[in-house]
Amino acid sequence: MPADDLLRTLAPQVVGVLTRRFGDFDAAEDAVQEALLAAAVQWPREGVPDNPRGWLIQVASRRMIEQVRAEQARRRREDRSARELPVDRWTAPAADEADPAGQDDTLTLLFLCCHPALPPAAAVALTLRSVGGLSTAEIARAFLVPEATMGQRISRAKQRIKTSGVPLRMPLPAEWADRLDAVLHVLYLIFNEGYSAAAGPELQRVELSGEAIRLTRAVRALLPHDSEVAGLLALMLLNHARSAARSGPHGELIPLAEQDRSRWDAAAVAEGVALVTAALPRGPVGPYQLQAAIAALHDEAPSAGETDWPQILALYEVLERVAASPVVTLNRAVAASMVHGPAAGFAVLAALEADGRLVGHHRVYVVRAHLLELAGDRPGAVENLRAAAARTASLPERHHLTLRAALLNNGPPDR
Amino acid sequence: MKYMLLMQFSEATTDFTPITEWTPQEIQAHIGFMGETNAKLTEAGELVDAQGLAMPATAKIVRSHAGGAPLVTEGPFAETKEFLAGWWIVDCDGPERAVEIAAYVSAAPGPKGEPLNMPIEVREVMSGPPTEL
């Protein structure tokens, strides 16, 4: 395993061990960051130690103990009757000491970072830092905010966990379902941040999608029988498989129907399809499995024209019953128009507009443009594409929509 | 030294047709130029940040309102004659280089590949206390 991957895998385990030993998540996290830094400098020069996990635990523990001692000295000065720490908390345990909890610490940390009391943005940042082992600078760059801002967000999140009084432990069985939902949601947010941000490697953007997939694999290794965990992993793999074909030479967006399917990652597609195929019959069927099944149908179609739209429409109908949202309804409108023609799509769209939640959203204009184009109303489609372009917050998407409007307005370049 | 290059659109000082009326090739060339420019600035280590802004029609104006909820107005923006379309923040050697970069991006291609000569406002970012104090 390359040293970077090794460090990222070990980081959450070491934070878990130290937190259990010293009872201070915040300090443990800082100490481990310092140990990781030391490893990054030392290992390439002197080689990876025989027991890298033990090495990290020892270095981080030493740092923690220095902190504990400094703290103790300060207290003694301030308060003559300072209570002393129990002796067994003063010494570092043997580096190779067996740790029965072992790997489970990754999951414990993940559950801690995806605390329901945290706003999603904070949970995402904390997870990437503590479980993903990314530096604050890397996370800040990925989210296009100054490093100081991201540092603040992370420390506020840690403070919030501290004051919430929730102990560092696995949730009780009764809390399990809710907490797993939060964990999967955060992992999905991380994935989407990397997936929908169409920025090239020249911007040194952190590969967030890859990181989300790695973390979801870790969750799956620990919960191999949960069908939604499998569904989420499948969904990520099936979307990620298309990434090479999703943008052109200038970073412009290429929509699904126009992508060069030979550039899709066949191995990722196969793995995603196998995962969701195995998960679906096992049930219970949740939203991630359904979305993965839809993505699998897109990925398995030899061409855009051969997509199994009736099957996709049926899946969107189920998805709407399991996890209704305006965006799901919007997607169902597209699927309905592909199966039954534009009139069916307009009917779904009309119902959605009556509900009022998506009024003015750029996606509504995109879908309406698509339906109008199908119905042969080019000027109407152009007008809606321009309205969508004016409303999107994504620059690559704005470019894409403006260009599509121009293509539709002027006809293909060769004419 | 850091400079903010503001892409100011103003009907009074720009005479090109809006991008919605360009041909697909013209739009493609424009987007390509912007992408290449950002790649070059990144390579030179001069790019700090570059962002495009959503259209003013989608903006909100917020004012504090003594004793009550903040006043939020959505426009009227339809008649806006001037607006900020986006910006670059560059970290470069000095004002001459900032002007050079601004001149370069100002010449982004528009209809028929002609330079747009967009007005680019160059402002130094105040990053520390003035040395005179």
Side-chain angles (χ1 to χ4, degrees):
Chain A
M1 198 189 285
D4 274 5
D5 290 352
L6 182 64
L7 286 176
R8 283 191 181 161
T9 312
L10 291 175
Q13 298 177 27
V14 178
V15 176
V17 169
L18 261 72
T19 307
R20 222 163 348 90
R21 200 170 278 162
F22 293 90
D24 186 342
F25 169 63
D26 206 359
E29 223 263 321
D30 288 342
V32 172
Q33 286 290 331
E34 286 186 36
L36 290 175
L37 205 61
V41 174
Q42 235 168 294
W43 293 5
R45 214 171 47 215
E46 296 165 19
V48 176
D50 293 337
N51 178 357
R53 184 163 171 274
W55 190 95
L56 286 171
I57 292 174
Q58 195 179 33
V59 172
S61 296
R62 213 179 288 140
R63 176 77 192 123
M64 288 277 303
I65 286 158
E66 280 164 16
Q67 284 174 1
V68 171
R69 285 192 173 136
E71 180 75 357
Q72 284 292 300
R74 189 180 61 79
R75 277 193 211 163
R76 266 199 305 275
R77 279 196 305 276
E78 289 171 359
D79 182 357
R80 282 178 196 173
S81 60
R83 283 161 298 160
E84 304 225 349
L85 267 190
V87 172
D88 64 341
R89 293 182 82 183
W90 278 59
T91 50
D96 55 352
E97 188 185 63
D99 177 25
Q103 183 83 28
D104 282 352
D105 285 330
T106 303
L107 193 59
T108 310
L109 260 196
L110 196 56
F111 273 80
L112 182 81
C113 295
C114 302
H115 196 289
L118 290 180
V124 164
L126 193 58
T127 302
L128 285 172
R129 165 83 190 257
S130 303
V131 189
L134 304 191
S135 72
T136 306
E138 282 177 307
I139 303 168
R141 203 155 54 224
F143 286 90
L144 301 173
V145 299
E147 189 177 344
T149 307
M150 190 48 81
Q152 276 295 323
R153 195 182 289 174
I154 291 172
S155 62
R156 268 202 308 272
K158 286 197 272 192
Q159 197 55 40
R160 204 151 168 172
I161 289 184
K162 211 171 182 177
T163 52
S164 78
V166 177
L168 178 64
R169 57 156 172 77
M170 286 301 284
L172 300 170
E175 305 161 340
W176 180 260
D178 286 351
R179 294 296 285 273
L180 184 61
D181 279 355
V183 168
L184 297 184
H185 178 63
V186 166
L187 292 175
Y188 193 42
L189 284 179
I190 294 172
F191 177 81
N192 276 326
E193 187 58 35
Y195 183 72
S196 51
E202 74 276 8
L203 284 174
Q204 274 187 298
R205 197 148 183 146
V206 178
E207 281 290 359
L208 288 177
S209 305
E211 186 60 22
I213 290 174
R214 196 184 70 80
L215 293 175
T216 309
R217 278 191 199 284
V219 176
R220 186 170 142 70
L222 299 160
L223 296 169
H225 302 298
D226 188 290
S227 46
E228 272 296 83
V229 174
L232 178 59
L233 181 56
L235 177 58
M236 289 179 179
L237 288 167
L238 290 164
N239 282 329
H240 196 60
R242 302 183 205 125
S243 41
R246 286 181 72 235
S247 57
H250 302 303
E252 67 267 30
L253 231 138
I254 301 178
L256 183 57
E258 290 160 29
Q259 287 171 19
D260 173 0
R261 292 175 184 233
S262 69
R263 295 182 66 204
W264 289 356
D265 180 346
V269 171
E271 190 188 353
V273 169
L275 269 170
V276 70
T277 310
L280 273 172
R282 234 175 29 220
V285 176
Y288 294 121
Q289 289 166 80
L290 289 166
Q291 291 177 75
I294 292 167
L297 286 168
H298 282 299
D299 284 10
E300 285 184 310
S303 71
E306 290 164 272
T307 307
D308 186 351
W309 285 106
Q311 186 73 17
I312 290 176
L313 177 58
L315 284 165
Y316 272 121
E317 282 164 358
V318 181
L319 183 58
E320 210 171 7
R321 281 200 297 276
V322 174
S325 86
V327 174
V328 172
T329 309
L330 206 53
N331 288 334
R332 182 165 68 81
V334 175
S337 75
M338 298 307 279
V339 179
H340 303 298
F346 281 122
V348 179
L349 206 58
L352 187 64
E353 280 168 324
D355 149 298
R357 269 183 298 174
L358 274 186
V359 169
H361 195 281
H362 77 275
R363 288 239 163 273
V364 177
Y365 291 92
V366 174
V367 170
R368 195 183 296 116
H370 169 80
L371 297 177
L372 287 168
E373 193 183 344
L374 275 185
D377 178 357
R378 272 164 74 145
V382 168
E383 188 188 323
N384 276 279
L385 283 170
R386 285 175 182 167
R391 282 168 176 83
T392 177
S394 150
L395 200 55
E397 191 170 12
R398 191 206 286 175
H399 287 155
H400 166 70
L401 292 168
T402 310
L403 194 55
R404 252 181 75 190
L407 282 167
L408 205 57
N409 198 32
N410 304 13
D414 303 342
R415 269 201 331 203
Chain B
M1 283 193 219
K2 286 198 184 104
Y3 294 88
M4 190 168 200
L5 314 185
L6 300 151
M7 204 197 294
Q8 297 280 15
F9 271 76
S10 147
E11 284 181 11
T13 52
T14 49
D15 53 3
F16 50 83
T17 53
I19 194 165
T20 50
E21 283 156 40
W22 299 3
T23 70
Q25 292 87 339
E26 286 162 357
I27 294 173
Q28 197 108 52
H30 181 80
I31 294 169
F33 173 89
M34 291 299 183
E36 282 160 23
T37 301
N38 286 350
K40 276 182 197 159
L41 289 173
T42 304
E43 203 174 322
E46 290 176 322
L47 187 75
V48 177
D49 194 15
Q51 301 288 343
L53 294 177
M55 301 296 169
T58 61
K60 291 177 176 58
I61 298 280
V62 182
R63 290 183 188 87
S64 73
H65 182 51
L71 285 176
V72 180
T73 40
E74 306 199 9
F77 296 105
E79 301 301 315
T80 305
K81 294 278 190 270
E82 288 179 4
F83 67 92
L84 179 62
W87 74 79
W88 291 262
I89 293 180
V90 294
D91 192 344
C92 60
D93 286 342
E96 296 81 8
R97 174 62 183 154
V99 167
E100 200 174 285
I101 297 171
Y104 185 80
V105 295
S106 166
K112 301 192 178 68
E114 298 286 323
L116 288 170
N117 301 326
M118 295 181 285
I120 307 287
E121 183 178 336
V122 179
R123 305 265 301 266
E124 186 170 353
V125 176
M126 294 195 286
S127 45
T131 46
E132 307 297 313
L133 289 177

